[in-house]
Amino acid sequence: MRPTGPLHLGHLFGALDNWVKLQSEHDCFFMIADWHALMSEYEDPSKISQHTIECAADWIAAGIDHEKSAIFVQSHVKEHLELYMIFSNFVPLGWLERCPTYKEQLRELSSRQLHTYGFLGYPVLQAADILLYKADAVPVGKDQIPHLELTNDIAEKFNKLYGSVFSEIKPLLTKTPKLLGIDGKKMSKSYGNFIALGDSEEAIKKKCSQMFTDPKRIKLIDKGHPDQCNLYAYYNLLKRGYASEVYDYCAKAHVGCKECKKNLAGVISDYLSDIRKKREKLLKNKSDIRDILKDGAEKAGKAASETMSEVKKAVGLL
Ligand code: SF4
C-alpha cells in the first residue's frame, strides 16, 4: 500500500480483512510502498513518513500480526531499487504505456503532473517488489491482474536473457465486498470521499450526513429503494442482522434518510471502535512501530538479498 493518506473502510474490506486471514495460511510480506508514494507525491513528499507510520498502525490495529508476517517499508530494503534497475534495462516502453492501470492512475491523480519517467516505470518497480521475494502468489483484485501479467512477462524476459531465476506468480483472487465512497463513487484517497479507520465519531457523523442516498426518495413520505442506496450497502456489510430492518423501514417510508444516516454513523463508529482504540494506543508509542518496521525490514532484507545474489550471478555482476 502506498502511504499517501489515511487508510479507510475500502482498504479494510477490500484488502486488510483478507490479509489477516492469509497470515495463517502463508508466509506473508506486507510492504508500505513509500517509493511508490514518492512517484506521485514528489512535489510535496513531507507527509510520506507520517503516513508510513500511520499505515503501519492501521495494519496492526486491523489485525496484521508482525510476529507472523513481515511488515516493512519499501525504502528500508535497498534491493527493491537494485532489481528495479536491472529490470528497467530490458522492459520495452510499449509494455508500460499500454498498462491499463497506468492510464487509470493518470486519470485518478489528474491534479498531479505525472507524465514523468519515474511514474511510467512504476509497474517495473512493482514487479521488482513481487519478484524479489520469489512470491508464489499475490492477493490482488481483478483490476490489478494486468500488473501481475506484466510482472510475469518481465520475469520471463529476465529468465530468457540470463537464465531461469523466477517462477510464475499466481494471483490470489479473493471476492471482496465493494464499498463506495460517500459520494457514490469508488472510495479513494484521491477523491477525498472515504471514511478513515481513524475518523472520530464526530467526523463519521458529518461524513454520513453528506452521503448520497436513493435519488428517487425526495420527501419523507416517498417510499425508498434500499437496493439503490449506498447506505443500505453499508448496513449490509457492517451490521447484516439489522439490514433487513433498514430495508423494511426504507421501503415503507417509516424512517427518513436523515435518521437513517444518523443510525449508520453509530453503526460505523461501533464497528471501528476497537481498531480506533488500538490505533490510538499504537500511535502514542511511535518508537514501538518503528521497531516493528525495523524487524520487518530485516526479515524482508534477508529474503531480498538472497534473491539479489542469484540475480547478480545470473546477470554476471557477481
Ligand atoms: Fe437510503 Fe436509508 Fe434513505 Fe432508505 S432510508 S434511501 S436506505 S438513506
Side-chain angles (χ1 to χ4, degrees):
M1 274 185 198
R2 295 186 320 131
T4 51
L7 298 200
H8 51 64
L9 285 176
H11 294 114
L12 185 65
F13 293 112
L16 289 172
D17 277 354
N18 182 37
W19 292 6
V20 171
K21 286 185 208 132
L22 289 175
Q23 293 182 113
S24 48
E25 301 148 22
H26 299 271
D27 208 2
C28 295
F29 289 84
F30 295 115
M31 184 186 82
I32 302 174
D34 58 346
W35 287 134
H36 283 282
L38 191 60
M39 283 176 176
S40 61
E41 309 304 309
Y42 63 90
E43 282 177 304
D44 179 14
S46 58
K47 295 240 167 70
I48 294 179
S49 67
Q50 179 199 329
H51 289 319
T52 296
I53 294 292
E54 285 174 0
C55 180
D58 281 331
W59 284 3
I60 299 164
I64 303 291
D65 181 350
H66 63 98
E67 306 258 331
K68 287 185 191 161
S69 310
I71 303 177
F72 69 100
V73 180
Q74 188 180 28
S75 68
H76 295 180
V77 180
K78 66 178 176 41
E79 286 82 0
H80 286 262
L81 292 188
E82 292 182 357
L83 191 55
Y84 165 63
M85 179 61 212
I86 289 177
F87 289 163
S88 296
N89 297 315
F90 63 76
V91 174
L93 282 177
W95 288 9
L96 304 175
E97 284 157 350
R98 277 195 299 273
C99 186
T101 48
Y102 168 67
K103 291 180 199 158
E104 189 194 308
Q105 289 272 304
L106 281 185
R107 268 196 308 273
E108 247 189 55
L109 304 169
S110 56
S111 58
R112 324 262 206 298
Q113 169 49 267
L114 292 179
H115 291 276
T116 59
Y117 159 71
F119 198 71
L120 179 67
Y122 90 88
V124 184
L125 179 56
Q126 213 164 38
D129 298 335
I130 298 167
L131 293 166
L132 199 49
Y133 298 96
K134 297 215 165 169
D136 300 312
V138 186
V140 288
K142 259 193 188 154
D143 53 336
Q144 290 163 319
I145 295 269
H147 269 301
L148 220 49
E149 286 169 353
L150 187 58
T151 298
N152 282 328
D153 289 344
I154 293 174
E156 204 185 314
K157 188 151 186 185
F158 179 95
N159 290 347
K160 262 195 201 140
L161 284 168
Y162 306 115
S164 189
V165 170
F166 299 111
S167 314
E168 195 189 339
I169 315 282
K170 301 251 182 317
L172 256 186
L173 277 173
T174 322
K175 245 185 134 194
T176 50
K178 255 222 158 77
L179 205 57
L180 297 174
I182 58 171
D183 55 0
K185 285 196 224 148
K186 178 186 165 193
M187 193 182 284
S188 162
K189 284 184 267 192
S190 346
Y191 298 151
N193 62 356
F194 56 84
I195 293 176
L197 302 187
D199 272 348
S200 65
E201 281 185 33
E202 270 317 301
I204 293 173
K205 228 185 257 173
K206 192 166 171 217
K207 286 179 182 177
C208 284
S209 73
Q210 297 163 346
M211 276 176 89
F212 273 37
T213 59
D214 169 14
K216 289 187 196 127
R217 190 169 187 212
I218 297 159
K219 287 185 246 131
L220 194 61
I221 49 162
D222 294 338
K223 289 181 177 162
H225 307 83
D227 288 324
Q228 292 165 35
C229 179
N230 197 12
L231 276 88
Y232 180 64
Y234 275 68
Y235 278 114
N236 241 331
L237 200 58
L238 300 165
K239 201 170 177 184
R240 192 173 275 271
Y242 182 58
S244 56
E245 204 175 304
V246 174
Y247 194 100
D248 206 49
Y249 73 53
C250 173
K252 291 179 182 160
H254 285 171
V255 168
C257 293
K258 204 170 164 191
E259 194 178 332
C260 188
K261 287 174 174 179
K262 225 160 114 191
N263 289 344
L264 181 66
V267 168
I268 297 174
S269 286
D270 287 350
Y271 194 90
L272 290 179
S273 156
D274 278 353
I275 293 183
R276 196 167 41 218
K277 277 186 214 145
K278 276 189 210 157
R279 177 184 194 278
E280 274 167 20
K281 202 171 157 202
L282 282 158
L283 286 171
K284 275 190 189 135
N285 261 319
K286 294 200 178 102
S287 61
D288 288 354
I289 301 177
R290 288 197 184 95
D291 286 346
I292 290 172
L293 294 174
K294 197 168 162 239
D295 282 355
E298 270 167 33
K299 196 171 167 191
K302 196 169 169 285
S305 72
E306 281 168 19
T307 306
M308 269 322 285
S309 297
E310 248 186 279
V311 165
K312 284 183 179 169
K313 265 186 214 145
V315 174
L317 295 171
L318 263 191

